[in-house]
Amino acid sequence: MAVFTAVSLDDVSEWIKQFPLGKALAVRGIASGIENSNFFITTESGEHVLTIFENLSFEQLPFYLNLMRHLAERGVLVPAPVANDKGELIVPLHGKPAAIVSKLEGSSQMAPQPAHCAAVGAMLARMHLAARDFPLTQPNLRGLDWWNAVTPTVLPFLSDSNAHLLRAEMHFQESYATCEHYKRLARGPVHADLFRNNVMFVGERLAGFFDFYFAGCDTWLFDVAVTVNDWCIDLDTGVLDEARVRAMLDAYHAVRPFTAHEQASWQPMLRAAALRFWLSRLFDFYQPRAAEMLTPHDPTHFERILRERIATPAPRLF
Ligand SMILES: Nc1ncnc2c1ncn2[C@@H]1O[C@H](COP(=O)(O)OP(=O)(O)OP(=O)(O)O)[C@@H](O)[C@H]1O
Ligand SMILES: N[C@@H](CCO)C(=O)O
């Protein structure tokens, strides 16, 4: 497990008095996160999740917490942050920023069927529409500028073939980002990390999206591409599964119709979404952050997906 700030029931009992949740009855650490310290908290008013942010600052957090609140108020299934008696969503605990959100029911669906992909596609489109009037802006902090910053730090570790792939793809993406189709893509707040492990299901019923801490303003199509690249693939080969792709895209399109500019940008965007996670996994693999005892995710998975998206024509968006 990663850095973990220990929190006892005594610590929480005092701290939670500022929230309208009643007494804290139990605290249980959640072992699976790698970015933050998470705890299930049982209070007199029910189950909640306490997150202590290990890497994000007090300045970056209002965008994420307020976005979740905005979406929850509009009926999108996301954890609702709870404000303290001063109306604050981010309150220090042990000197680090912390927040309490509602606990989603269910569990992650790690072997999704078309019905799950359809539910995710429809909710993703609803989320994009519901965030249109969200007043805060923050760029996608893992966008093109970050790719440019990280590329030279990982290139020395790569084989000739992978270094060539990375340079060529960066060149392609930089050039694509200046074209007319790209400039006309719809934009707004996006989740940007909607993998299988960030969605809860109860059977085939979607119970919610969570882990908004890579969210930022970017093209909606990028969000769709990130999601398709994880939910709709054969995990061994990275090849897209036609039935799951169709289910997700058709369900999204029924709520928020795709445009011709998005159709023209679909293959470049599937490549961009693969590149983004190849780069972050390479970065975590070769430049691991100090004080973290993590097994980094396998970068080869996204190298394979990127090569596959370059080689194979993308399915139609609609
Ligand atoms: N609102 C919530 N409702 C129910 N469970 C939650 C909620 N938030 C987090 N969890 C649980 O805590 C685990 C870790 O949360 P999360 O993925 O946000 O942590 P993280 O440290 O940002 O992890 P990572 O970056 O590895 O995905 C999740 O897998 C989930 O089981
Ligand atoms: N979803 C990312 C991890 C960061 O949440 C990955 O699989 O590389």
Side-chain angles (χ1 to χ4, degrees):
M1 189 161 55
V3 187
F4 204 88
T5 304
V7 169
S8 68
L9 183 57
D10 278 352
D11 299 332
V12 174
S13 296
E14 197 47 41
W15 184 79
I16 211 161
K17 285 181 183 161
Q18 61 191 306
F19 294 90
L21 297 173
K23 282 195 189 127
L25 304 174
V27 178
R28 189 158 49 94
I30 305 174
S32 63
I34 62 164
E35 289 284 334
N36 305 304
S37 299
N38 293 294
F39 306 84
F40 291 127
I41 300 201
T42 310
T43 69
E44 287 176 330
S45 60
E47 291 276 314
H48 289 83
V49 175
L50 162 67
T51 300
I52 301 181
F53 299 97
E54 304 288 349
N55 299 311
L56 294 167
S57 67
F58 280 98
E59 289 71 41
Q60 290 169 324
L61 285 166
F63 179 84
Y64 310 117
L65 273 308
N66 284 290
L67 177 60
M68 286 159 74
R69 180 160 71 174
H70 180 96
L71 295 171
E73 284 170 357
R74 283 157 183 76
V76 183
L77 299 177
V78 303
V82 182
N84 71 0
D85 49 20
K86 293 187 200 139
E88 298 164 331
L89 300 179
I90 304 142
V91 183
L93 177 57
H94 290 328
K96 293 178 181 169
I100 296 188
V101 303
S102 58
K103 180 174 186 275
L104 300 170
E105 52 175 346
S107 54
S108 297
Q109 174 49 259
M110 300 310 282
Q113 299 301 309
H116 302 108
C117 294
V120 170
M123 186 63 69
L124 185 62
R126 284 180 55 197
M127 190 193 93
H128 290 161
L129 294 176
R132 274 180 304 185
D133 60 345
F134 182 60
L136 304 184
T137 54
Q138 186 156 286
N140 171 6
L141 299 174
R142 292 284 182 276
L144 190 56
D145 288 350
W146 189 80
W147 308 349
N148 266 315
V150 164
T151 294
T153 72
V154 299
L155 271 175
F157 298 100
L158 301 186
S159 65
D160 287 350
S161 153
N162 279 352
H164 175 76
L165 174 67
L166 179 52
R167 280 202 200 91
E169 191 60 22
M170 281 301 296
H171 183 71
F172 173 81
Q173 293 294 339
E174 282 192 285
S175 148
Y176 198 79
T178 63
C179 84
E180 211 43 45
H181 286 307
Y182 181 83
K183 287 183 191 158
R184 288 166 177 264
L185 297 178
R187 305 177 144 266
V190 298
H191 185 286
D193 189 26
L194 197 60
F195 282 45
R196 301 174 191 196
N197 62 342
N198 286 333
V199 178
M200 291 299 194
F201 272 95
V202 177
E204 285 185 1
R205 178 171 65 81
L206 199 163
F209 294 171
F210 63 101
D211 201 0
F212 276 76
Y213 306 116
F214 283 113
C217 295
D218 206 330
T219 64
W220 286 345
L221 194 65
F222 178 73
D223 221 9
V224 177
V226 167
T227 311
V228 164
N229 269 348
D230 184 66
W231 284 83
C232 307
I233 63 167
D234 177 287
L235 287 176
D236 291 332
T237 60
V239 172
L240 291 170
D241 176 78
E242 207 181 315
R244 279 180 285 155
V245 172
R246 259 318 8 112
M248 183 172 283
L249 295 180
D250 290 352
Y252 184 101
H253 186 67
V255 178
R256 203 281 295 178
F258 291 114
T259 67
H261 293 296
E262 289 178 320
Q263 177 63 67
S265 301
W266 182 221
Q267 184 149 13
M269 203 58 88
L270 283 167
R271 292 167 59 167
L275 174 67
R276 180 265 182 247
F277 288 96
W278 187 35
L279 270 175
S280 62
R281 288 184 173 200
L282 285 171
F283 183 71
D284 288 346
F285 196 83
Y286 291 115
Q287 317 273 339
R289 280 170 295 185
E292 297 217 2
M293 298 177 294
L294 297 177
T295 311
H297 292 302
D298 175 19
T300 318
H301 177 67
F302 275 104
E303 176 215 322
R304 204 177 301 122
I305 294 177
L306 176 57
R307 289 186 188 279
E308 169 64 26
R309 297 298 173 274
I310 293 169
T312 308
R316 286 200 64 78
L317 261 186
F318 59 93

